[in-house]
Amino acid sequence: VDITPIPGPLGLPFLGNALSFLGEETPILGFERLADIYGPIYQVVFKGTRTIVVSSAAILEELVDEKRFQKLPPLAFSNDSKARGLFAAATDDPDWGQAHRILIPEMGPLSTDKMFDDMKDIANQLVLKWARKGPEDRILLTDDFTRLTLDTIALCTMKYRFNSFYSSEMHPYVDAMMNVLQESGSRSTRPAFISALHFSENAKFQESEEILKKTAQQIIDNRRANPVDEKDLLNAMIYGKDPKTGLAMRDELIAAQMTTFLIAGHETTSGLLSFTFMYLLKNSSTYLKAQKEVDDAVGKGPINLEDLKKLKYLTACLREALRLSPTATALSKKINPESHQPFTFLNKTYKVESADRIFVLLGKSQRDPAVYGEDAAEFKPERMLDEDFNTLPDGAWKPFGNGVRACIGRPFAWQEALLVAAITLQHFDLRLDDPSYELRIKQTLTIKPKDLYVRTTLRDGID
Ligand code: HEM
């Protein structure tokens, strides 16, 4: 077999290609720029290890085979902590298996249905705030959606109220979380010895991690002291037993899961809502169509769970926004050492080694013209209506990841995003504060549109 060499930028022997990303505010765009130069498969060398960066749906189609390729947990999270939450643990870590088996049923569609009222509680707080502030107020959309998603995940899964809409300062927990996110993001592209020299950042990082752990432990202690007879996620973690081993989770692991849920469960969904509104507002015919669908399905009264199922077009809008702007921007894979046969795509054969890492740029693979055509970069929700969406090739739309390590919060995120998009379209006319707004990206661990300001006007006759 003829092996095709994988192209890529030349790196310095010691720092590898990390140098070209230092100082980059949005590393993901750096990776995407290299894809524009080197094509859908290229290599970079980080800290002596080769990373193969891929960005086509056809290659992702190969990578979804879990026998050959598995999730590589994020390195920035896996240094010192003993208990790793679902997101950061390796698949063969017994802690992952235990938490996965206990938590999967708690986050399925049946369980999220029961969270609808709590979700609506927080969504109504957003509506009240916008209604009272009125159109004179310039709203940083991403901030309000972040308040909303954080309050929602905390209320629905652990009956904890951050009450973010009632203060202009964010809760200290949120500051700590943002700091951990920011620093983890920077560490993931910075050589380890440079990170080690960032003394004040490191001290702050440690302090923030302590705040996260302590807050989580307080919530656990409080629940033990004041038991509630409710089937929420926190009770499942405290009292639930692993069906395989019969064991309950230890507190340190529960705390790690809580932090994981709060982080994984709010940034991504907030970004999804912000991008969706940005695309709707930049493409006014889609906005009007989505709003009309909500008016027809829900009318002017309170929205209920059944209404959400009728919102086919709005569902397609969310899918299309997440296709163009996947808020979790990339998937990392390692190669199963037993199966590292060369991999082939477009009639070329590439050799991979078990030490290689694979990095999938979802923002590129989901804009693959081979699947979506020449208008792949445009916002066209029609292509994401059920019929077409359900027949997409497996590698074409993967914003929630893959296989056993796919997102456990997908039904939750979907219900929340659909509810909030619907309730805001129902109550308000939104417009961009700056009609000529052009998308810029802000990246922490996830991406969001930067400086997206809107104005909202309450519509007539709404309850
Ligand atoms: C995993 C995306 C919302 C909790 C993942 C992964 C992706 C993802 C891509 C896999 C990461 C990988 O392969 O390394 C998203 C997006 C969301 C979202 C785009 C919203 C639009 C949520 C919510 C929760 C959540 C609301 C919690 C309620 C998790 C957890 C994992 C995960 C715990 C790790 C699962 C495991 O490996 O066992 N998510 N997520 N996510 N997500 Fe989400």
Side-chain angles (χ1 to χ4, degrees), residues 34-53:
L34 288 178
D36 292 336
I37 300 171
Y38 295 101
I41 177 164
Y42 67 87
Q43 63 177 45
V44 288
V45 180
F46 277 125
K47 305 176 190 173
T49 302
R50 180 166 82 144
T51 297
I52 299 170
V53 186

Side-chain angles (χ1 to χ4, degrees), residues 17-65:
N17 296 99
L19 266 187
S20 35
F21 296 98
L22 284 180
E24 175 89 58
E25 208 186 318
T26 46
I28 193 69
L29 298 183
F31 282 110
E32 292 191 0
R33 269 199 304 277
L34 288 178
D36 292 336
I37 300 171
Y38 295 101
I41 177 164
Y42 67 87
Q43 63 177 45
V44 288
V45 180
F46 277 125
K47 305 176 190 173
T49 302
R50 180 166 82 144
T51 297
I52 299 170
V53 186
V54 305
S55 51
S56 87
I59 309 183
L60 190 45
E61 197 83 25
E62 295 250 346
L63 299 178
V64 295
D65 179 354

Side-chain angles (χ1 to χ4, degrees), residues 97 293 356:
E293 184 185 60
D356 293 337

